Amino acid sequence: MVEWTRRRFLQASALAGGAMMLPGLMQTAWAAGSDKPELDTVRVGFIPLTDCAPLAIAAYKGFDKKYGFTLVPTKEASWAAVRDKLVAGELDAAHILYGLLYGLELGIAGKPKQMANLMTLNQNGQAITLSSELAQQGVRDVEGLKKLIGQQAPGSYTFAHTFPTGTHAMWLYYWLASAGINPFDDVRTVVVPPPQMVMNMRIGNMVGFCVGEPWNARAINDRIGFTAATSQSVWPEHPEKILGTRQEWVESHPNTARALVSALLEAQRWIDASPQNKQETAQLLARRAWLNTKEQYLTGRMLGEYDNGVGQRWQDTNPIRFFGEGAVSYPWHSDGMWFLTQFRRWGLLKTDPDYAAIAKRINRTDIWQDAATAVGGISTPSSPLRSSRLMDGTVWNGTDPKAYANSFAIHRTGA
Protein backbone atom coordinates (compact mmCIF):
# COMPACT_ATOMS: atom_id res chain seq x y z
CA MET A 1 0.00 0.00 0.00
CA VAL A 2 2.83 2.37 0.80
CA GLU A 3 6.19 2.62 -0.95
CA TRP A 4 8.98 3.21 1.57
CA THR A 5 11.90 4.40 -0.56
CA ARG A 6 15.20 2.77 0.38
CA ARG A 7 17.33 5.40 -1.35
CA ARG A 8 15.67 8.24 0.58
CA PHE A 9 16.18 6.31 3.79
CA LEU A 10 19.92 5.89 3.17
CA GLN A 11 20.33 9.51 2.18
CA ALA A 12 18.52 10.65 5.30
CA SER A 13 20.65 8.36 7.46
CA ALA A 14 23.80 10.01 6.12
CA LEU A 15 22.40 13.45 6.77
CA ALA A 16 21.32 12.44 10.27
CA GLY A 17 24.79 11.12 11.00
CA GLY A 18 26.30 14.45 10.02
CA ALA A 19 23.84 16.33 12.19
CA MET A 20 24.80 14.16 15.16
CA MET A 21 28.42 15.25 14.75
CA LEU A 22 27.34 18.88 15.00
CA PRO A 23 24.60 18.96 17.65
CA GLY A 24 25.28 22.58 18.47
CA LEU A 25 24.48 23.57 14.89
CA MET A 26 21.11 21.85 15.08
CA GLN A 27 20.21 23.53 18.37
CA THR A 28 21.36 26.92 17.07
CA ALA A 29 19.05 26.58 14.10
CA TRP A 30 16.09 25.98 16.39
CA ALA A 31 17.11 28.71 18.80
CA ALA A 32 16.99 31.20 15.94
CA GLY A 33 13.67 30.04 14.54
CA SER A 34 10.03 29.93 15.49
CA ASP A 35 9.99 26.12 15.65
CA LYS A 36 12.22 25.87 18.74
CA PRO A 37 10.73 23.44 21.30
CA GLU A 38 8.74 25.33 23.92
CA LEU A 39 10.16 23.10 26.69
CA ASP A 40 13.81 22.46 27.51
CA THR A 41 13.01 19.16 29.26
CA VAL A 42 10.29 16.61 28.59
CA ARG A 43 9.25 14.08 31.24
CA VAL A 44 8.15 10.79 29.68
CA GLY A 45 6.88 7.93 31.82
CA PHE A 46 7.56 4.28 31.03
CA ILE A 47 6.95 0.80 32.38
CA PRO A 48 10.03 -1.50 32.50
CA LEU A 49 9.34 -3.51 29.34
CA THR A 50 11.41 -4.25 26.25
CA ASP A 51 9.21 -2.00 24.13
CA CYS A 52 10.26 1.14 26.03
CA ALA A 53 13.47 0.82 24.00
CA PRO A 54 12.97 3.95 21.82
CA LEU A 55 12.92 6.12 24.95
CA ALA A 56 16.10 4.54 26.28
CA ILE A 57 17.98 4.91 23.00
CA ALA A 58 16.76 8.46 22.35
CA ALA A 59 18.11 9.56 25.73
CA TYR A 60 21.30 7.46 25.65
CA LYS A 61 22.32 8.30 22.08
CA GLY A 62 21.49 12.00 22.35
CA PHE A 63 18.71 12.13 19.79
CA ASP A 64 16.79 14.36 22.19
CA LYS A 65 19.63 16.92 22.21
CA LYS A 66 19.74 16.83 18.43
CA TYR A 67 16.18 18.16 18.40
CA GLY A 68 16.70 20.79 21.07
CA PHE A 69 15.42 19.31 24.34
CA THR A 70 16.38 16.91 27.13
CA LEU A 71 14.35 13.72 27.52
CA VAL A 72 13.78 12.76 31.17
CA PRO A 73 12.51 9.15 31.35
CA THR A 74 10.65 8.27 34.56
CA LYS A 75 10.11 4.64 35.56
CA GLU A 76 6.61 3.85 36.82
CA ALA A 77 5.30 0.85 38.78
CA SER A 78 2.01 0.20 36.97
CA TRP A 79 -0.15 1.34 34.08
CA ALA A 80 -2.55 2.88 36.57
CA ALA A 81 0.32 5.03 37.84
CA VAL A 82 1.18 6.07 34.30
CA ARG A 83 -2.45 7.00 33.69
CA ASP A 84 -2.79 9.05 36.88
CA LYS A 85 0.47 10.97 36.43
CA LEU A 86 -0.19 11.65 32.76
CA VAL A 87 -3.68 12.99 33.41
CA ALA A 88 -2.47 15.08 36.38
CA GLY A 89 0.27 16.68 34.29
CA GLU A 90 3.13 15.15 36.28
CA LEU A 91 4.26 13.57 33.01
CA ASP A 92 4.41 15.35 29.68
CA ALA A 93 3.97 12.11 27.74
CA ALA A 94 4.26 8.37 28.26
CA HIS A 95 5.09 4.99 26.79
CA ILE A 96 1.55 3.72 27.17
CA LEU A 97 -0.85 0.96 26.21
CA TYR A 98 -2.82 1.79 23.07
CA GLY A 99 -6.12 0.76 24.62
CA LEU A 100 -5.40 2.64 27.85
CA LEU A 101 -5.15 5.93 25.98
CA TYR A 102 -8.37 5.28 24.08
CA GLY A 103 -10.07 4.20 27.28
CA LEU A 104 -9.12 7.52 28.87
CA GLU A 105 -10.58 9.47 25.97
CA LEU A 106 -13.87 7.57 26.32
CA GLY A 107 -14.03 7.63 30.12
CA ILE A 108 -13.82 3.84 30.53
CA ALA A 109 -10.26 3.79 31.89
CA GLY A 110 -10.63 6.71 34.27
CA LYS A 111 -12.11 10.19 34.27
CA PRO A 112 -12.66 11.30 30.64
CA LYS A 113 -9.77 13.29 29.25
CA GLN A 114 -9.00 14.38 25.70
CA MET A 115 -5.86 12.49 24.71
CA ALA A 116 -3.44 12.33 21.79
CA ASN A 117 -1.50 9.48 20.23
CA LEU A 118 1.64 10.96 18.67
CA MET A 119 3.14 7.75 17.28
CA THR A 120 3.33 3.99 17.63
CA LEU A 121 6.46 2.92 19.50
CA ASN A 122 6.51 -0.72 18.39
CA GLN A 123 4.66 -3.58 16.78
CA ASN A 124 4.52 -7.19 18.03
CA GLY A 125 6.61 -8.57 20.88
CA GLN A 126 4.12 -9.59 23.58
CA ALA A 127 3.08 -13.12 24.57
CA ILE A 128 0.61 -15.30 26.43
CA THR A 129 2.20 -17.50 29.09
CA LEU A 130 0.54 -20.56 30.63
CA SER A 131 1.73 -22.22 33.82
CA SER A 132 3.95 -25.28 33.97
CA GLU A 133 1.11 -26.93 35.87
CA LEU A 134 -1.05 -26.72 32.74
CA ALA A 135 1.83 -28.05 30.66
CA GLN A 136 2.02 -31.07 32.97
CA GLN A 137 -1.64 -31.69 32.22
CA GLY A 138 -0.90 -31.78 28.51
CA VAL A 139 -1.97 -28.26 27.55
CA ARG A 140 0.15 -26.76 24.79
CA ASP A 141 -2.20 -24.41 22.96
CA VAL A 142 -5.57 -22.71 23.18
CA GLU A 143 -7.44 -25.78 21.92
CA GLY A 144 -5.97 -27.90 24.70
CA LEU A 145 -6.82 -25.16 27.17
CA LYS A 146 -10.43 -25.17 25.95
CA LYS A 147 -10.76 -28.89 26.71
CA LEU A 148 -9.35 -28.47 30.20
CA ILE A 149 -11.53 -25.46 31.05
CA GLY A 150 -14.61 -27.35 29.89
CA GLN A 151 -14.00 -30.00 32.54
CA GLN A 152 -14.35 -27.51 35.41
CA ALA A 153 -16.98 -25.07 36.65
CA PRO A 154 -16.91 -21.62 34.99
CA GLY A 155 -14.38 -19.33 36.64
CA SER A 156 -12.20 -22.13 37.97
CA TYR A 157 -9.16 -20.82 36.14
CA THR A 158 -7.70 -17.33 36.55
CA PHE A 159 -5.80 -15.34 33.91
CA ALA A 160 -4.05 -11.99 34.25
CA HIS A 161 -3.53 -9.01 31.99
CA THR A 162 -2.13 -5.57 32.72
CA PHE A 163 -5.04 -3.11 32.34
CA PRO A 164 -8.80 -3.50 31.61
CA THR A 165 -8.73 -1.59 28.30
CA GLY A 166 -5.10 -2.32 27.47
CA THR A 167 -3.54 -4.24 24.63
CA HIS A 168 -2.75 -7.31 26.74
CA ALA A 169 -6.38 -7.67 27.76
CA MET A 170 -7.44 -7.48 24.12
CA TRP A 171 -4.85 -10.05 22.93
CA LEU A 172 -5.80 -12.42 25.75
CA TYR A 173 -9.54 -12.07 25.11
CA TYR A 174 -9.14 -12.52 21.35
CA TRP A 175 -6.93 -15.60 21.78
CA LEU A 176 -9.30 -17.26 24.25
CA ALA A 177 -12.37 -16.47 22.16
CA SER A 178 -10.76 -17.92 19.03
CA ALA A 179 -11.19 -21.37 20.64
CA GLY A 180 -14.68 -20.69 22.01
CA ILE A 181 -13.61 -19.61 25.50
CA ASN A 182 -15.58 -16.60 26.72
CA PRO A 183 -13.11 -14.52 28.78
CA PHE A 184 -15.94 -13.10 30.89
CA ASP A 185 -18.12 -16.19 31.40
CA ASP A 186 -15.76 -19.18 31.31
CA VAL A 187 -12.68 -17.92 33.17
CA ARG A 188 -11.75 -15.28 35.70
CA THR A 189 -9.46 -12.39 34.78
CA VAL A 190 -7.46 -10.06 37.06
CA VAL A 191 -5.14 -7.08 36.59
CA VAL A 192 -1.48 -7.46 37.57
CA PRO A 193 1.35 -4.95 36.85
CA PRO A 194 3.94 -6.35 34.40
CA PRO A 195 6.86 -6.67 36.86
CA GLN A 196 4.63 -8.69 39.23
CA MET A 197 3.41 -11.28 36.71
CA VAL A 198 6.08 -13.93 37.28
CA MET A 199 5.87 -13.73 41.06
CA ASN A 200 2.08 -14.04 41.03
CA MET A 201 2.19 -17.09 38.76
CA ARG A 202 4.89 -18.63 40.95
CA ILE A 203 2.61 -18.51 44.01
CA GLY A 204 -0.38 -19.80 42.07
CA ASN A 205 -2.53 -16.70 41.74
CA MET A 206 -3.19 -17.44 38.06
CA VAL A 207 -2.58 -20.13 35.45
CA GLY A 208 -1.96 -17.75 32.57
CA PHE A 209 -1.08 -14.18 31.71
CA CYS A 210 -0.56 -11.85 28.80
CA VAL A 211 2.22 -9.28 29.12
CA GLY A 212 5.14 -7.71 27.30
CA GLU A 213 8.71 -8.95 27.42
CA PRO A 214 10.88 -9.80 29.23
CA TRP A 215 8.37 -11.36 31.61
CA ASN A 216 7.33 -14.23 29.33
CA ALA A 217 10.97 -15.19 28.77
CA ARG A 218 11.58 -14.83 32.51
CA ALA A 219 8.73 -17.27 33.29
CA ILE A 220 10.41 -19.86 31.06
CA ASN A 221 13.82 -19.26 32.66
CA ASP A 222 12.29 -19.68 36.12
CA ARG A 223 10.52 -22.86 34.95
CA ILE A 224 7.11 -21.72 36.04
CA GLY A 225 5.51 -21.28 32.61
CA PHE A 226 5.72 -21.61 28.83
CA THR A 227 4.78 -19.43 25.87
CA ALA A 228 1.47 -20.66 24.47
CA ALA A 229 1.17 -17.87 21.89
CA THR A 230 2.90 -14.70 20.80
CA SER A 231 0.81 -11.59 20.28
CA GLN A 232 2.01 -11.46 16.67
CA SER A 233 0.46 -14.90 16.14
CA VAL A 234 -2.85 -13.29 17.16
CA TRP A 235 -2.36 -10.27 14.89
CA PRO A 236 0.80 -10.08 12.78
CA GLU A 237 2.32 -6.57 12.90
CA HIS A 238 -0.18 -5.39 15.49
CA PRO A 239 0.28 -1.99 17.15
CA GLU A 240 1.48 -2.20 20.73
CA LYS A 241 2.78 0.69 22.84
CA ILE A 242 2.27 4.27 21.71
CA LEU A 243 3.56 7.69 22.68
CA GLY A 244 0.56 9.18 24.47
CA THR A 245 -0.13 12.57 25.93
CA ARG A 246 -2.95 15.01 26.62
CA GLN A 247 -4.49 16.95 23.77
CA GLU A 248 -4.03 20.18 25.70
CA TRP A 249 -0.30 19.48 26.05
CA VAL A 250 0.07 19.12 22.28
CA GLU A 251 -1.84 22.34 21.65
CA SER A 252 0.34 24.22 24.14
CA HIS A 253 3.63 22.67 23.00
CA PRO A 254 3.36 21.75 19.29
CA ASN A 255 7.06 22.27 18.59
CA THR A 256 8.02 20.13 21.57
CA ALA A 257 5.64 17.41 20.44
CA ARG A 258 7.23 17.42 16.99
CA ALA A 259 10.75 17.38 18.43
CA LEU A 260 9.87 14.49 20.77
CA VAL A 261 8.47 12.39 17.93
CA SER A 262 11.48 13.25 15.76
CA ALA A 263 13.92 12.07 18.43
CA LEU A 264 12.02 8.82 18.92
CA LEU A 265 11.83 8.21 15.17
CA GLU A 266 15.61 8.52 15.07
CA ALA A 267 15.88 6.06 17.97
CA GLN A 268 13.53 3.58 16.31
CA ARG A 269 15.54 3.72 13.09
CA TRP A 270 18.79 3.17 14.98
CA ILE A 271 17.45 0.12 16.87
CA ASP A 272 16.18 -1.64 13.76
CA ALA A 273 19.26 -0.82 11.67
CA SER A 274 21.16 -4.00 12.65
CA PRO A 275 21.19 -7.02 14.97
CA GLN A 276 24.19 -5.45 16.69
CA ASN A 277 22.15 -2.35 17.52
CA LYS A 278 19.40 -4.53 18.97
CA GLN A 279 21.95 -6.34 21.12
CA GLU A 280 23.31 -3.01 22.35
CA THR A 281 19.75 -1.91 23.09
CA ALA A 282 19.20 -5.06 25.15
CA GLN A 283 22.39 -4.34 27.12
CA LEU A 284 21.15 -0.84 27.90
CA LEU A 285 17.65 -1.97 28.87
CA ALA A 286 19.03 -4.57 31.27
CA ARG A 287 20.52 -1.81 33.46
CA ARG A 288 19.00 -0.87 36.80
CA ALA A 289 17.61 2.44 35.51
CA TRP A 290 15.49 0.63 32.93
CA LEU A 291 14.40 -3.00 33.38
CA ASN A 292 16.94 -4.10 36.02
CA THR A 293 17.15 -7.62 34.68
CA LYS A 294 19.53 -9.99 32.91
CA GLU A 295 20.43 -9.24 29.33
CA GLN A 296 19.74 -12.87 28.40
CA TYR A 297 16.03 -12.35 29.07
CA LEU A 298 15.92 -9.57 26.46
CA THR A 299 18.24 -10.31 23.57
CA GLY A 300 16.75 -13.50 22.11
CA ARG A 301 13.20 -12.33 21.62
CA MET A 302 14.33 -8.86 20.55
CA LEU A 303 16.15 -10.67 17.72
CA GLY A 304 13.10 -12.83 17.01
CA GLU A 305 14.69 -15.98 18.45
CA TYR A 306 11.98 -17.89 20.32
CA ASP A 307 11.98 -20.92 22.61
CA ASN A 308 8.53 -21.63 24.02
CA GLY A 309 9.85 -23.56 27.01
CA VAL A 310 8.23 -26.89 26.05
CA GLY A 311 10.43 -28.01 23.21
CA GLN A 312 9.69 -25.68 20.31
CA ARG A 313 12.19 -23.18 18.89
CA TRP A 314 11.82 -20.87 15.91
CA GLN A 315 12.91 -17.68 14.24
CA ASP A 316 9.79 -15.53 14.29
CA THR A 317 8.82 -13.91 10.99
CA ASN A 318 7.07 -11.07 12.84
CA PRO A 319 9.35 -10.16 15.75
CA ILE A 320 9.15 -6.95 17.71
CA ARG A 321 9.63 -4.04 15.30
CA PHE A 322 10.37 -0.42 16.05
CA PHE A 323 10.83 1.32 12.70
CA GLY A 324 10.10 -0.61 9.50
CA GLU A 325 11.33 2.36 7.45
CA GLY A 326 8.83 4.52 9.31
CA ALA A 327 5.71 2.41 8.77
CA VAL A 328 5.72 1.07 12.35
CA SER A 329 5.49 4.51 13.90
CA TYR A 330 2.67 5.96 11.82
CA PRO A 331 -0.46 6.45 14.00
CA TRP A 332 -2.83 4.56 11.69
CA HIS A 333 -6.47 5.47 12.25
CA SER A 334 -7.49 1.86 11.64
CA ASP A 335 -5.26 0.69 14.51
CA GLY A 336 -7.08 2.92 16.97
CA MET A 337 -10.48 1.95 15.56
CA TRP A 338 -9.72 -1.73 16.11
CA PHE A 339 -9.48 -1.18 19.86
CA LEU A 340 -12.82 0.60 19.77
CA THR A 341 -14.39 -2.44 18.06
CA GLN A 342 -13.08 -4.69 20.82
CA PHE A 343 -14.33 -2.34 23.53
CA ARG A 344 -17.75 -2.66 21.90
CA ARG A 345 -17.43 -6.44 21.56
CA TRP A 346 -16.62 -6.89 25.23
CA GLY A 347 -19.26 -4.51 26.57
CA LEU A 348 -16.89 -1.75 27.63
CA LEU A 349 -18.88 0.48 25.28
CA LYS A 350 -22.66 0.06 25.42
CA THR A 351 -23.30 1.61 22.01
CA ASP A 352 -21.32 2.00 18.81
CA PRO A 353 -19.15 5.14 18.92
CA ASP A 354 -18.19 7.28 15.95
CA TYR A 355 -15.20 5.09 15.22
CA ALA A 356 -13.59 7.16 12.47
CA ALA A 357 -14.07 10.53 14.17
CA ILE A 358 -12.56 9.34 17.46
CA ALA A 359 -9.51 7.83 15.77
CA LYS A 360 -8.98 10.93 13.66
CA ARG A 361 -9.15 13.13 16.76
CA ILE A 362 -6.76 11.06 18.87
CA ASN A 363 -4.20 9.85 16.32
CA ARG A 364 -2.19 12.96 15.46
CA THR A 365 -0.93 12.19 11.99
CA ASP A 366 -0.21 15.91 11.57
CA ILE A 367 2.41 15.89 14.34
CA TRP A 368 3.86 12.65 12.99
CA GLN A 369 4.09 14.14 9.49
CA ASP A 370 5.95 17.22 10.74
CA ALA A 371 8.36 15.01 12.67
CA ALA A 372 8.91 12.64 9.76
CA THR A 373 9.71 15.60 7.53
CA ALA A 374 12.21 16.91 10.08
CA VAL A 375 13.93 13.52 10.29
CA GLY A 376 13.88 12.95 6.53
CA GLY A 377 13.69 9.84 4.38
CA ILE A 378 10.32 8.69 5.72
CA SER A 379 7.35 8.38 3.35
CA THR A 380 3.80 9.14 4.40
CA PRO A 381 1.17 6.43 3.82
CA SER A 382 -1.40 7.22 1.14
CA SER A 383 -4.22 6.34 3.55
CA PRO A 384 -4.58 6.30 7.36
CA LEU A 385 -6.16 2.83 7.07
CA ARG A 386 -4.25 -0.43 6.67
CA SER A 387 -5.39 -4.01 6.18
CA SER A 388 -4.55 -6.91 8.51
CA ARG A 389 -5.56 -10.58 8.80
CA LEU A 390 -5.87 -11.90 12.35
CA MET A 391 -5.42 -15.43 13.67
CA ASP A 392 -9.03 -16.51 13.03
CA GLY A 393 -8.90 -15.40 9.40
CA THR A 394 -10.90 -12.22 9.89
CA VAL A 395 -9.68 -9.21 7.93
CA TRP A 396 -9.58 -5.81 9.58
CA ASN A 397 -9.19 -2.72 7.39
CA GLY A 398 -11.19 -0.06 9.21
CA THR A 399 -13.82 0.39 6.49
CA ASP A 400 -16.88 -0.92 8.40
CA PRO A 401 -16.03 -0.97 12.11
CA LYS A 402 -19.63 -1.35 13.31
CA ALA A 403 -20.18 -4.50 11.27
CA TYR A 404 -16.78 -5.84 12.34
CA ALA A 405 -17.54 -5.26 16.03
CA ASN A 406 -20.84 -7.10 15.71
CA SER A 407 -19.47 -10.01 13.68
CA PHE A 408 -18.00 -12.08 16.50
CA ALA A 409 -19.87 -15.11 17.80
CA ILE A 410 -18.15 -14.82 21.18
CA HIS A 411 -18.81 -11.54 22.97
CA ARG A 412 -19.66 -10.34 26.45
CA THR A 413 -23.11 -11.36 27.56
CA GLY A 414 -25.41 -8.34 27.38
CA ALA A 415 -23.02 -6.28 25.25
Side-chain angles (χ1 to χ4, degrees), residues 43-45 76 79-96 100-101 104 113 115-116 243-246 248-249:
R43 292 177 56 83
V44 182
E76 305 298 338
W79 291 117
V82 170
R83 172 199 61 193
D84 294 345
K85 291 185 178 182
L86 186 59
V87 170
E90 295 178 43
L91 297 173
D92 296 307
H95 154 257
I96 196 170
L100 196 166
L101 189 86
L104 273 173
K113 188 77 174 180
M115 306 302 292
L243 179 64
T245 186
R246 305 174 305 282
E248 62 188 13
W249 187 87

Side-chain angles (χ1 to χ4, degrees), residues 134-257:
L134 294 187
Q136 293 167 7
Q137 297 179 64
V139 175
R140 290 294 185 274
D141 51 31
V142 71
E143 288 77 17
L145 182 64
K146 165 67 173 175
K147 293 179 182 178
L148 184 64
I149 288 175
Q151 297 169 9
Q152 304 293 331
S156 297
Y157 293 96
T158 299
F159 295 80
H161 54 71
T162 62
F163 196 83
T165 63
T167 51
H168 304 117
M170 299 303 116
W171 311 144
L172 178 64
Y173 296 169
Y174 205 100
W175 183 73
L176 291 170
S178 72
I181 303 169
N182 190 309
F184 289 90
D185 295 343
D186 299 334
V187 299
R188 178 172 175 260
T189 59
V190 295
V191 173
V192 176
Q196 297 178 25
M197 284 292 189
V198 172
M199 177 191 68
N200 274 274
M201 179 171 279
R202 181 180 291 112
I203 63 178
N205 284 344
M206 67 273 201
V207 298
F209 61 70
C210 184
V211 73
E213 298 298 346
W215 306 112
N216 301 286
R218 176 66 183 271
I220 292 172
N221 182 82
D222 291 2
R223 299 182 180 180
I224 65 166
F226 68 97
T227 296
T230 64
S231 56
Q232 53 266 30
S233 70
V234 176
W235 176 0
E237 313 297 10
H238 69 78
E240 185 48 45
K241 305 303 185 300
I242 58 177
L243 179 64
T245 186
R246 305 174 305 282
Q247 180 178 303
E248 62 188 13
W249 187 87
V250 179
E251 300 307 321
S252 298
H253 311 96
N255 296 342
T256 309

